Amino acid sequence: MNAVPATHTIAEQPAPSGALAEFLERKPRLLVGGEWIEAHGKGRIAVIDPATERQIAEVADADAEDVDRAVRAARAAFESGPWAVMLPDERERLMWRLADLMERHAEELAELESLDNGKPITMARLIDVPGAIAHLRYMAGWASKLDGSTFNTSLRAAPGTRFHTYTVREPVGVVGQIIPWNFPLLMATLKLAPVLATGCTSVLKPAEQTPLSALRLGELILEAGFPPGVVNILTGLGETTGAALVAHPDVDKIAFTGSTEVGKLINIAATATLKRVSLELGGKSPVIVLPDVDPQTVAAGASQAVFFNSGQVCVAGSRLFVQRRIFDKVIEGVSEASRSIVVGPGLDERTQMGPLVSQDQRDRVLGYLYFGRKQGATIAAGGDAPAHKGYYVNPTVIVDVKPDMKIVREEIFGPVVVAQRFDDLNEVAAWANDTPYGLAASIWSNDLRSVQRLVPKIKAGTVWVNCHAMIDAGMPFGGYKQSGFGREQGRAGIEMYTELKSVCMAI
Ligand code: ADP
Ligand code: MG
């Protein structure tokens, strides 16, 4: 293994700017019915900067009573008042106003996201904040474009009777939205956008590790002029706030993004009241490299696919399959790329990869590296943590893996890729699908025939070709198998927030 180059000395976290310092001064509260209120729940959660391990804020752990209050506010806003009678173009205009406000505060939001989650500010500026805004504007357009159908039925009744039958889409109602910590603002906005476009209302629970950008978003939602109760935001733990939200009888739908383990718990709990459930869960996405490509170019792509956001991405390309002829060259390229990544604190402009979100997450990832070694895998690059404060793990490339190893089967959610050789398309398709997950995959090749033969074999909600993790609000996104169900984004993503009503009228 090469010596670690000098660029891997971890820099110190720069101080946050004035606007951010001002936000951090304000005491975080819960947003319920258009007001910032004190929590009934007595629990408190420390919010940590993962680069320094220092506490930057403290938020409440909302309890069942807080959840009930928020759900009642959301129900009231859904059933009566200005939101219930608002026309689509008015909702659309409010959504654009919010998007404009987010744009005006883009730098502050990027900084906040970087400080709270640990991600490089350059990435928050490039991906998280503009992505969130784009989702809002995209979904705003659907507010005025939902439609139904009319039918030529063969219904028979008394002679002369005719029937007029049609469908309408109606908002599903009060939605509980539970989101993870890897893209906090983007997830919050992505979840809220279809709620706002359809005329639903939301009780949103950000992840306990990264609650801050959702609270800032809540301030901007009020400033944009959304009526009270349309968006309610509760900070808290999964087992308290999250579980109470899933159990609440007056919540119509739960939209969840997070681990497969918790997704299953939520699905079971939601059955008691038959809530609608949409789940965006884990993945172990294959990156498949066919022999016709330039190994250097693809190595750069494969490295991006797994190391972006420190590998804390549900679609991370964490299993790399390379055709035997070019395996060594590609692995050399990915290992080199991994060693050149500048690891450091998020607010430092030079940082290309930040720390993991929390100590738990860092320990989990290091635990997988331990198991990998123990089960006989070889570390080609990285494999350890820098000796520095902060939840850092070096980007890691692992070879000599076997299909039944823990590091091959389980989602690591860190900067770790496991690489395997393959010989032909049928073999790689079978291995790519040999996982309980089915979120995404990428195929790297310019051989049209092979690509077109492989795409239908892959059991995944998204297949990229010669790219990875390209996500757009217009493109449906979701998983096969244990990666969840339902599709967010695109037409499917807005229809998921509606009920379809058939009307049959004798005339
Ligand atoms: P991770 O383990 O990576 O933190 P989780 O799936 O546990 O991912 O967390 C995703 C979101 O789900 C977070 O907002 C978390 O608070 C929430 N959550 C965790 N457990 C539960 C639960 N039992 N019920 C509802 N929400 C939960
Ligand atoms: Mg968890």
Side-chain angles (χ1 to χ4, degrees):
M1 209 170 103
N2 290 8
V4 175
T7 47
H8 277 202
T9 312
I10 305 285
E12 296 310 316
Q13 176 80 298
S17 73
L20 188 51
E22 214 176 280
F23 171 77
L24 293 173
E25 291 282 293
R26 295 202 277 283
K27 185 173 182 298
R29 291 188 164 83
L30 309 180
L31 178 58
V32 176
E35 314 259 353
W36 291 100
I37 64 160
E38 288 295 337
H40 175 270
K42 293 289 168 269
R44 294 291 175 267
I45 303 164
V47 183
I48 306 289
D49 167 4
T52 61
E53 306 184 21
R54 279 203 295 265
Q55 182 171 336
I56 48 172
E58 186 184 75
V59 297
D61 182 18
D63 67 6
E65 188 151 331
D66 292 314
V67 168
D68 186 53
R69 234 171 124 174
V71 171
R72 276 189 281 126
R75 174 59 60 192
F78 181 72
E79 301 293 345
S80 58
W83 187 247
V85 294
M86 202 175 271
L87 296 172
D89 67 338
E90 296 171 307
R91 291 200 302 272
E92 181 172 356
R93 208 170 310 140
L94 279 177
M95 291 177 75
W96 273 80
R97 205 178 290 159
L98 175 59
D100 291 347
L101 276 171
M102 289 174 74
E103 216 155 52
R104 200 174 313 149
H105 295 279
E107 181 59 19
E108 182 196 343
L109 289 169
E111 227 190 322
L112 182 56
E113 202 69 330
S114 169
L115 183 68
D116 197 0
N117 165 278
K119 64 180 67 210
I121 179 133
T122 50
M123 287 298 138
R125 279 184 196 136
L126 191 71
I127 310 278
D128 299 68
V129 179
I133 294 168
H135 269 89
L136 261 184
R137 291 197 174 130
Y138 170 82
M139 278 298 171
W142 275 114
S144 58
K145 284 155 201 75
L146 285 173
D147 54 20
S149 313
T150 58
F151 308 97
N152 288 331
T153 61
S154 302
L155 294 165
R156 287 180 178 82
T161 305
R162 291 283 175 276
F163 290 89
H164 175 41
T165 60
Y166 60 96
T167 52
V168 279
R169 287 207 173 265
E170 297 180 344
V172 67
V174 174
V175 187
Q177 304 191 296
I178 300 174
I179 56 173
W181 43 258
N182 56 346
F183 295 91
L185 179 73
L186 184 56
M187 287 291 159
T189 313
L190 194 151
K191 284 279 182 285
L192 289 174
V195 159
L196 303 176
T198 49
C200 292
T201 58
S202 170
V203 178
L204 173 76
K205 191 199 88 65
E208 53 269 35
Q209 297 86 347
T210 56
L212 299 181
S213 57
L215 295 176
R216 185 68 185 110
L217 180 65
E219 294 180 350
L220 297 179
I221 286 169
L222 294 187
E223 197 177 329
F226 284 95
V230 172
V231 175
N232 307 274
I233 301 175
L234 302 181
T235 55
L237 297 173
E239 304 80 63
T240 44
T241 321
L245 194 53
V246 177
H248 200 292
D250 206 28
V251 171
D252 298 296
K253 168 181 164 75
I254 293 288
F256 172 76
T257 298
S259 63
T260 290
E261 180 196 354
V262 173
K264 288 177 184 178
L265 289 178
I266 286 179
N267 203 33
I268 291 167
T271 301
T273 47
L274 278 189
K275 291 179 176 62
R276 281 80 187 105
V277 175
S278 54
L279 303 171
E280 300 290 349
L281 310 176
K284 190 79 179 172
S285 298
V287 171
I288 302 170
V289 183
L290 303 190
D292 63 285
V293 296
D294 169 43
Q296 271 318 105
T297 315
V298 169
S303 155
Q304 271 275 325
V306 69
F307 297 134
F308 171 58
N309 214 43
S310 305
Q312 303 167 122
V313 183
C314 52
V315 297
S318 52
R319 289 184 301 148
L320 177 58
F321 296 98
V322 186
Q323 212 278 344
R324 189 174 297 280
R325 291 213 297 275
I326 58 168
F327 181 84
D328 289 340
K329 283 208 175 105
V330 171
I331 296 310
E332 209 178 287
V334 175
S335 301
E336 236 163 70
S338 77
R339 288 188 206 104
S340 72
I341 292 172
V342 179
V343 178
L347 293 179
D348 189 322
E349 304 269 343
R350 295 163 300 181
T351 292
Q352 293 170 334
M353 201 180 98
L356 300 190
V357 73
S358 64
Q359 180 159 358
D360 275 2
Q361 193 57 21
R362 197 239 341 241
D363 292 350
R364 253 193 56 164
V365 172
L366 292 177
Y368 276 112
L369 297 183
Y370 168 81
F371 271 111
R373 279 196 183 89
K374 209 172 125 176
Q375 295 189 314
T378 305
I379 310 276
D384 55 3
H388 193 279
K389 219 176 173 45
Y391 309 129
Y392 295 101
V393 173
N394 284 321
T396 298
V397 182
I398 305 184
V399 293
D400 300 331
V401 294
K402 306 230 158 44
D404 58 344
M405 286 181 179
K406 249 172 111 70
I407 52 171
V408 174
R409 302 220 67 80
E410 296 178 21
E411 183 180 42
I412 298 177
F413 225 61
V416 182
V417 64
V418 295
Q420 284 163 271
R421 293 174 179 77
F422 71 87
D423 284 306
D424 64 47
L425 291 187
N426 284 333
E427 182 179 59
V428 75
W431 286 349
N433 291 331
D434 180 21
T435 165
Y437 296 113
L439 192 56
S442 64
I443 301 169
W444 299 74
S445 171
N446 291 310
D447 171 359
L448 199 55
R449 248 177 122 213
S450 296
V451 171
Q452 288 289 24
R453 285 180 182 197
L454 204 43
V455 169
K457 292 185 201 286
I458 302 296
K459 293 185 168 58
T462 302
V463 179
W464 290 289
V465 180
N466 294 324
C467 58
H468 195 100
M470 303 308 287
I471 303 227
D472 185 87
M475 199 168 83
F477 179 84
Y480 282 30
K481 302 188 327 194
Q482 293 189 31
S483 288
F485 45 72
R487 292 291 181 273
E488 294 187 301
Q489 305 166 191
R491 178 192 282 270
I494 184 114
E495 291 187 344
M496 203 165 72
Y497 282 79
T498 64
E499 291 281 10
L500 191 58
K501 179 181 280 177
S502 289
V503 183
C504 175
M505 197 184 287
I507 50 178

